[in-house]
Amino acid sequence: MAPFRRGTKGGGGSSSRGRGGPTSRGRGRGRGRGSSTLADGPKSTFYSTRVEEAREGISEHDQAAAEESVSEEISPSESSEDGADATAASIVKPYNILLRSLNRNVHHEQPPHKRRRLVQGHAGDGPLYSPAPTNILQPDEGKDPDFVEEAEEAGNISADGLDDDDIFEPEDDDSHDYFHKHFTAVDEKALVLCTKDTADLSWITRRSVVQPVWKLSSASYKSLSIVPELTTKTMFTTKDFQLKHRLQTRAKQAIPSMNGLNGILASSIFKYQDLLFCDRLPTVASDIRTLTCLHALNHIFKTRDRIIKNNTRLLKADTSEDVEYRDQGFTRPKVLIVLPTRQACVKAAECIISLCEPEQQENKKRFQDSYSQADDDFSPDKPEDFRELFGGNDDDMFRLGMKFTRKTVKFFSQFYNSDMILASPLGLRMAIGNEDMKKEDHDFLSSIEIVIVDQTDALLMQNWEHLEYIFDHLNLQPKETHGCDFSRVRNWYLDGYARFLRQTIILSAYNTPEINRLFGHNMLNIAGKVKICKDNYEGVMLDLGMQVKQTFSRYDAPNILADSDARFKYFITAIIPSLSKIFRVGSTKGQGILIFIPSYMDFVRIRNFFANSASTQNVSFGSISEYTSVRDVARARSHFFSGRHSLLLYTGRAHHFRRYLLRGVQKVIMYALPDNPLFYQEIVEGYLTRSLSEGSIDALDASVRSVFSKWDILKLERIVGTKRCATMIEERNGDTFDFV
């Protein structure tokens, strides 16, 4: 899927790799504040005699509507004055240049001392961040706000000692400690069997229903003959988490109740099982974030304290004894949290700080300026999931290292000095680099033991290939040593079995084939994996606030690879002929047809068909995609509402990032069902209801027609309901289903 280009917003300026590297432009969603095209620059817009009429013929009313949401261009006089000022400022006498160079040499005879910015106080004294100004400050003009200039430290853990509570804390009961059982008491023979089962795709699965809301599916390796515990061993209190002493008090305050969803998720998370949760909604997002961040902190602190305690034992041990403590990985980073936006990173960091309550926070001001931004003043019609995702700084190009010491949390630590990495798929992909580049660096991912992917459904609307690329580079053998003490590295790291011990937690609002592939091919935990989804969908088609004819047409596709071609063939042979009757010359009934196309590749294919096919030569149509400029979007909406365009092509990603309220819609055609069921409700109910209220359509004329195949079963289930979905997929007496 092609990446979605958007204007830069807030702190999403230019970027380079965290350790220095090629630069890339920041990628904010924009919403009109970031310009995607220059006033006089080249413009990659699709033009056709049947798509765009002559610009000279545009009426004043339409032209005004088209320019309503477009920012004013810079006048030639302003640009010329700026150029004159720049020219004057660049004129410097040679003598002054010589003096400056001499002064520079004097001041730089000694290297500058490193200055640390520490913020005193606990997290409870106030919020982690405050609203940032519109122009977010950056460390240096033209420099990546996430750039880190820091030397790589040798070893996994800094020798800064333990907390007093940790020194006098009793030794962990390894027989009941999930951390010890999962990472230390590892059966190497079992790992070899897991490798064989992975190649043969041999799994034991079990399904059950919990609280008649969710259905749980568990899977374990066939050779181990162990199925993960699901409902019989749920955790009821935070004592069951086996937390470090410094986290116990805050955990009780942050998670006062373990009833319902918290207990179900915690039973898998704190037992180091892989988890795919497909009902992550904004209403439960805060509770889930607290659970995952608490688990990540507990893992980091247990890893750190065990290494430091073993260091003390080695110092006290007799030199004649052959003592070995294998408690480390190749590199220091142990937790990776993948998030869609910078504001989501702020929420995660705020949760982490509130749980660990450090005495000092280094580089906190820089974090505030680069990541935090006040929530946008959205219109009341914007849904809750849109506000959660795009509120504040919605730049999707970032990566942040966090380092935890005894009393300090440091933001913007160098990756190899970090315990935790928070990043977007794009930001981490840029940090890794490409194979074609001279230097590809993914060693900092070699020892990741916990991966948390939040709002995975939002990442589907970015570039999914970036996330797949990250998973492909997790737990690989490092190319360099990075100061590693191999006598302390766990054996299963050396043998290349780290991916079988890694815990992966994926949180999404719904399930998709892409997410299912991650669950099947990249979640290989020896402790097993659990998938939690809704047990029964009623269907959003029942939640429409109006009665409208809804038609679902099924076509046959032999396999998933042939599905795209089969869909296109069905569309031009079954849908287009019915539209051709409406689009007769002189007919006025063809106005107001919206074709919703989730995939951009399908959108290009359909757009070219309408522009070049003889069967659509009488159709005047417009198009709105994620790449359409603000001016062209306004023009297309105006022409569609006024009737100059009888048909409008509209992509799923354009709706995801903008949530346009289109006017003049009389009929809706779903070229493919959307993954997000809310899109179906927003388009069908929102657009047609508005047309009815404006009197531009009769209730009997409004309709929606959707096209689907058996490969769309996950999408169809969320829209029509679980029971109806099974009937519509298996029905042999017909392929068209009408609902009113």
Side-chain angles (χ1 to χ4, degrees):
M1 182 181 293
F4 175 52
R5 300 181 180 275
R6 303 182 298 283
T8 305
K9 174 188 173 183
S14 61
S15 63
S16 64
R17 290 174 34 179
R19 294 163 308 287
T23 59
S24 172
R25 293 186 58 84
R27 295 162 59 88
R29 193 173 55 89
R31 288 197 298 277
R33 286 185 289 275
S35 176
S36 59
T37 56
L38 298 177
D40 300 321
K43 189 177 184 181
S44 57
T45 306
F46 179 83
Y47 289 103
S48 172
T49 55
R50 281 184 252 159
V51 179
E52 290 286 350
E53 301 180 12
R55 300 202 175 209
E56 293 78 8
I58 299 178
S59 63
E60 294 181 0
H61 173 269
D62 292 340
Q63 183 68 23
E67 296 180 355
E68 217 172 26
S69 60
V70 182
S71 58
E72 296 181 358
E73 298 178 353
I74 300 176
S75 63
S77 60
E78 292 175 346
S79 60
S80 62
E81 291 176 1
D82 293 342
D85 294 341
T87 304
S90 62
I91 301 176
V92 182
K93 295 182 179 181
Y95 181 72
N96 292 338
I97 295 178
L98 177 60
L99 290 178
R100 291 179 182 177
S101 63
L102 293 175
N103 291 334
R104 189 182 303 114
N105 293 335
V106 171
H107 291 311
H108 287 75
E109 288 180 354
Q110 299 294 335
H113 295 286
K114 181 179 178 181
R115 300 182 61 185
R116 303 176 63 190
R117 292 191 295 172
L118 302 179
V119 180
Q120 304 292 336
H122 295 282
D125 297 338
L128 174 67
Y129 65 94
S130 58
T134 304
N135 298 324
I136 292 182
L137 300 177
Q138 297 183 2
D140 193 7
E141 185 70 22
K143 193 174 182 180
D144 176 16
D146 296 337
F147 178 79
V148 176
E149 189 173 358
E150 178 180 274
E152 180 180 334
E153 298 175 357
N156 274 250
I157 299 295
S158 301
D160 54 355
L162 297 173
D163 293 322
D164 294 337
D165 293 334
D166 293 326
I167 293 175
F168 297 104
E169 185 178 4
E171 292 292 333
D172 297 330
D173 184 2
D174 292 343
S175 61
H176 297 88
D177 185 21
Y178 292 110
F179 174 84
H180 172 79
K181 290 192 294 186
H182 188 72
F183 292 104
T184 303
V186 179
D187 187 354
E188 296 184 4
K189 294 182 179 179
L191 289 176
V192 176
L193 295 176
C194 291
T195 305
K196 183 178 182 300
D197 286 347
T198 301
D200 299 337
L201 298 179
S202 299
W203 296 86
I204 299 176
T205 59
R206 186 179 70 180
R207 292 176 174 84
S208 62
V209 178
V210 180
Q211 298 182 352
V213 178
W214 298 287
K215 58 182 178 182
L216 287 77
S217 303
S218 65
S220 178
Y221 288 102
K222 184 176 181 180
S223 299
L224 302 181
S225 301
I226 299 175
V227 179
E229 300 169 338
L230 296 177
T231 60
T232 58
K233 295 292 184 179
T234 55
M235 295 183 175
F236 298 102
T237 65
T238 55
K239 293 181 179 179
D240 298 330
F241 295 173
Q242 299 170 351
L243 300 174
K244 296 298 293 183
H245 185 275
R246 61 186 296 188
L247 295 174
Q248 292 176 4
T249 302
R250 283 293 300 133
K252 293 178 183 179
Q253 298 172 356
I255 311 175
S257 174
M258 289 297 297
N259 297 329
L261 182 62
N262 284 343
I264 296 173
L265 296 181
S267 63
S268 294
I269 292 175
F270 287 90
K271 293 177 183 177
Y272 286 95
Q273 297 171 351
D274 284 349
L275 174 65
L276 170 58
F277 181 60
C278 301
D279 197 23
R280 186 243 183 240
L281 302 177
T283 53
V284 297
S286 178
D287 293 338
I288 297 176
R289 186 184 303 115
T290 301
L291 280 176
T292 53
C293 290
L294 179 63
H295 176 55
L297 281 173
N298 188 50
H299 179 77
I300 290 174
F301 292 159
K302 283 193 173 184
T303 301
R304 172 181 174 272
D305 292 353
R306 177 158 298 199
I307 291 175
I308 295 177
K309 287 181 179 180
N310 288 340
N311 291 342
T312 305
R313 294 189 182 103
L314 287 173
L315 292 176
K316 295 180 179 179
D318 189 353
T319 56
S320 61
E321 298 179 1
D322 187 11
V323 181
E324 183 179 69
Y325 293 103
R326 294 195 173 271
D327 51 13
Q328 302 180 12
F330 295 113
T331 55
R332 179 166 178 168
K334 291 296 180 287
V335 177
L336 172 64
I337 302 180
V338 183
L339 302 161
T341 64
R342 286 180 181 256
Q343 201 65 38
C345 181
V346 170
K347 295 177 182 178
E350 181 180 19
C351 182
I352 291 169
I353 295 299
S354 66
L355 289 172
C356 66
E357 295 184 316
E359 295 184 8
Q360 298 174 336
Q361 300 177 46
E362 188 174 349
N363 293 332
K364 179 183 176 182
K365 180 61 167 58
R366 176 182 172 186
F367 177 73
Q368 292 175 346
D369 295 341
S370 300
Y371 280 74
S372 178
Q373 189 168 330
D375 287 343
D376 294 351
D377 187 13
F378 293 118
S379 57
D381 54 80
K382 291 294 187 287
E384 187 177 3
D385 66 316
F386 183 88
R387 296 171 181 272
E388 182 198 18
L389 179 60
F390 296 115
N393 192 340
D394 58 14
D395 181 21
D396 65 356
M397 170 64 183
F398 66 91
R399 63 257 182 255
L400 174 72
M402 293 185 68
K403 176 181 178 181
F404 297 85
T405 57
R406 187 162 60 94
K407 297 182 179 180
T408 304
V409 172
K410 179 180 180 181
F411 297 94
F412 298 100
S413 60
Q414 206 253 24
F415 275 0
Y416 289 99
N417 302 336
S418 303
D419 298 291
M420 180 185 298
I421 297 175
L422 299 90
S424 64
L426 176 61
L428 202 57
R429 175 69 183 268
M430 294 297 296
I432 296 173
N434 297 320
E435 296 179 357
D436 298 337
M437 300 173 60
K438 295 182 179 179
K439 185 176 179 63
E440 181 189 25
D441 186 8
H442 51 74
D443 290 353
F444 59 89
L445 299 176
S446 62
S447 302
I448 295 294
E449 295 174 350
I450 296 178
V451 177
I452 302 171
V453 185
D454 196 10
Q455 294 179 270
T456 312
D457 51 300
L459 302 182
L460 285 165
M461 289 295 177
Q462 297 179 7
N463 194 327
W464 186 254
E465 293 181 358
H466 293 337
L467 188 62
E468 293 178 334
Y469 188 86
I470 293 169
F471 272 93
D472 290 340
H473 288 77
L474 286 172
N475 302 120
L476 299 179
Q477 295 291 320
K479 298 179 180 179
E480 300 178 8
T481 60
H482 302 283
C484 175
D485 181 2
F486 287 93
S487 65
R488 301 285 295 275
V489 177
R490 302 182 192 271
N491 290 326
W492 44 267
Y493 270 116
L494 299 174
D495 296 335
Y497 294 140
R499 59 188 177 129
F500 297 106
L501 279 300
R502 183 189 73 232
Q503 182 188 29
T504 304
I505 301 172
I506 296 181
L507 309 171
S508 177
Y510 45 81
N511 196 9
T512 68
E514 295 86 354
I515 297 176
N516 261 338
R517 187 181 185 278
L518 285 182
F519 183 77
H521 293 270
N522 296 98
M523 300 171 72
L524 308 173
N525 197 335
I526 192 175
K529 53 187 177 181
V530 178
K531 180 193 298 184
I532 304 177
C533 302
K534 290 190 66 173
D535 179 46
N536 181 62
Y537 286 94
E538 296 294 333
V540 296
M541 62 180 295
L542 301 179
D543 298 331
L544 302 180
M546 58 178 295
Q547 285 190 345
V548 59
K549 182 181 179 181
Q550 303 177 64
T551 302
F552 294 85
S553 302
R554 189 187 67 203
Y555 65 93
D556 295 327
N559 53 66
I560 188 65
L561 297 178
D563 184 69
S564 179
D565 292 336
R567 187 188 305 272
F568 179 74
K569 182 179 179 180
Y570 181 85
F571 181 79
I572 62 177
T573 56
I575 306 296
I576 293 298
S578 62
L579 293 180
S580 299
K581 298 178 181 179
I582 301 176
F583 290 138
R584 293 192 305 268
V585 177
S587 173
T588 60
K589 296 182 180 180
Q591 299 176 355
I593 296 180
L594 175 71
I595 299 182
F596 178 79
I597 310 173
S599 169
Y600 180 78
M601 301 303 295
D602 290 335
F603 164 79
V604 173
R605 193 175 191 179
I606 296 299
R607 185 188 64 182
N608 292 341
F609 174 81
F610 273 98
N612 302 318
S613 175
S615 60
T616 58
Q617 59 183 352
N618 296 323
V619 180
S620 175
F621 73 99
S623 62
I624 298 177
S625 74
E626 54 267 38
Y627 297 103
T628 307
S629 66
V630 176
R631 182 184 296 275
D632 290 339
V633 167
R635 183 179 294 110
R637 295 176 64 180
S638 174
H639 288 357
F640 182 70
F641 176 62
S642 64
R644 300 183 68 177
H645 286 166
S646 299
L647 186 144
L648 180 65
L649 305 179
Y650 187 42
T651 66
R653 294 173 78 192
H655 186 74
H656 169 77
F657 287 102
R658 304 293 181 176
R659 304 292 173 96
Y660 292 119
L661 291 179
L662 302 178
R663 303 175 64 187
V665 178
Q666 301 180 18
K667 299 180 185 297
V668 177
I669 296 177
M670 295 277 182
Y671 181 79
L673 296 174
D675 283 317
N676 191 341
L678 296 179
F679 288 6
Y680 184 90
Q681 183 177 1
E682 292 169 0
I683 292 174
V684 176
E685 179 184 11
Y687 296 173
L688 294 180
T689 300
R690 186 169 185 176
S691 298
L692 288 173
S693 63
E694 293 176 348
S696 59
I697 184 178
D698 295 330
L700 297 177
D701 295 332
S703 65
V704 54
R705 183 173 183 179
S706 304
V707 179
F708 73 96
S709 72
K710 64 180 180 180
W711 307 107
D712 298 324
I713 184 171
L714 294 177
K715 306 175 185 178
L716 185 66
E717 180 185 20
R718 294 188 284 266
I719 293 175
V720 303
T722 303
K723 297 181 180 179
R724 299 182 190 86
C725 176
T727 302
M728 296 169 65
I729 292 294
E730 299 173 359
E731 180 65 40
R732 293 292 177 262
N733 296 326
D735 57 5
T736 301
F737 309 88
D738 293 327
F739 302 92
V740 178

